[in-house]
Amino acid sequence: MFTPQGPGLRELTAQALSSVEHGYDLLAEKFDATPFRTSDRLLGAVTRTLEDLGPFGPGLDVCCGTGAGLGVLRAVCAGRVTGVDFSAGMLAEARRAHPDADLVRADALALPFGPVFDLAVSFGAFGHFLPDGQRTLFTQVHASLRPGGTFAFPLPAPPRVGSRAYWTLWGFDAVMRVRNALRRPPFVMYYRTFRLADVRTRLEAAGFDVSLVPVESLGRREDGGPVCRLVVARKA
């Protein structure tokens, strides 16, 4: 939920009517007081799951934002941790919270790294990439990992069809499509364009071997499936 310290309606409207980059620059100072920030509960659960998959050397947080995922890397990586994002405002906030991390301003679709990382993670950013962008993103991450390196990210189970959460996400995406049809530059943010089957196919096309690890500490659904899976893509 939004807190009194978070952005008001006018600020959120200004962000939504901006480009993605400028919108996050506007929101950066108050981003951590919004529900858009990855929750500490999810970050902790992913950390515990990754601890069983290591050890890891240098780590990269792709689209790091204000740096919530950098704490995960610091917990599981023995080497340096690096965050990359294209919003100067978000990076400024990450720098305040993580002064010991290497922070790089760059487009995730053109990562400026060689194959130097053992682990790459990303939290909450994939809605900003349409299918073609996802293919490019996965190829860029693959090129930034050492042989045998791992790209890992949480993927919650989709909401039950017809549930309130299902219609909320469907409605959000519909509003964004209307907004982008009427206004330029577009603000790409969709919740229903990142489906597991498609994502797995695109990761494999980029050269990854893909497996799924249940994030058990987040529990199970009524049908017995995990509430959240960790997608583990290894550079072959």
Side-chain angles (χ1 to χ4, degrees):
M1 297 296 292
F2 287 96
T3 69
Q5 294 74 37
L9 180 59
R10 179 176 295 181
E11 292 170 295
L12 290 171
T13 301
Q15 183 216 13
L17 294 177
S18 304
S19 66
V20 178
E21 180 181 352
H22 184 54
Y24 277 106
D25 286 343
L26 293 173
L27 189 60
E29 290 186 6
K30 298 183 178 181
F31 181 82
D32 286 348
T34 73
F36 306 127
R37 181 192 184 274
T38 304
S39 70
D40 289 334
R41 180 169 180 257
L42 178 57
L43 293 169
V46 169
T47 299
R48 290 188 290 274
T49 306
L50 283 172
E51 286 173 344
D52 295 332
L53 302 178
F56 302 104
L60 174 67
D61 186 359
V62 181
C63 304
C64 67
T66 57
L70 293 173
V72 175
L73 291 179
R74 187 175 292 107
V76 302
C77 292
R80 294 285 297 177
V81 300
T82 300
V84 61
D85 202 282
F86 73 165
S87 167
M90 299 290 271
L91 286 173
E93 296 302 311
R95 191 165 288 110
R96 293 188 185 96
H98 302 276
D100 57 336
D102 296 327
L103 297 172
V104 178
R105 186 182 182 194
D107 187 341
L109 301 182
L111 292 174
F113 309 112
V116 297
F117 298 102
D118 283 343
L119 173 66
V121 298
S122 192
F123 296 91
F126 296 119
H128 294 302
F129 300 94
L130 296 174
D132 284 345
Q134 292 171 19
R135 295 183 185 94
T136 302
L137 174 67
F138 296 159
T139 299
Q140 289 291 300
V141 174
H142 186 275
S144 301
L145 290 169
R146 294 171 174 170
T150 299
F151 181 29
F153 51 87
L155 189 62
R160 180 176 54 82
V161 175
S163 65
R164 172 181 283 186
Y166 173 87
W167 289 115
T168 297
L169 299 183
W170 190 94
F172 181 93
D173 284 7
V175 169
M176 292 306 296
R177 291 188 185 282
V178 172
R179 180 260 183 234
N180 290 334
L182 297 176
R183 187 178 178 89
R184 292 290 185 271
F187 191 97
V188 177
M189 181 61 207
Y190 300 110
Y191 284 103
R192 299 175 67 247
T193 59
F194 201 72
R195 294 174 293 193
L196 176 57
D198 298 332
V199 169
R200 184 166 199 155
T201 297
R202 291 165 193 153
L203 285 167
E204 291 172 346
F208 287 106
D209 293 330
V210 182
S211 60
L212 304 174
V213 180
V215 183
E216 294 290 3
S217 60
L218 294 180
R220 295 263 170 176
R221 305 197 305 172
E222 292 181 358
D223 63 5
V227 169
C228 181
R229 293 179 172 90
L230 190 69
V231 177
V232 179
R234 295 191 184 277
K235 183 172 181 176

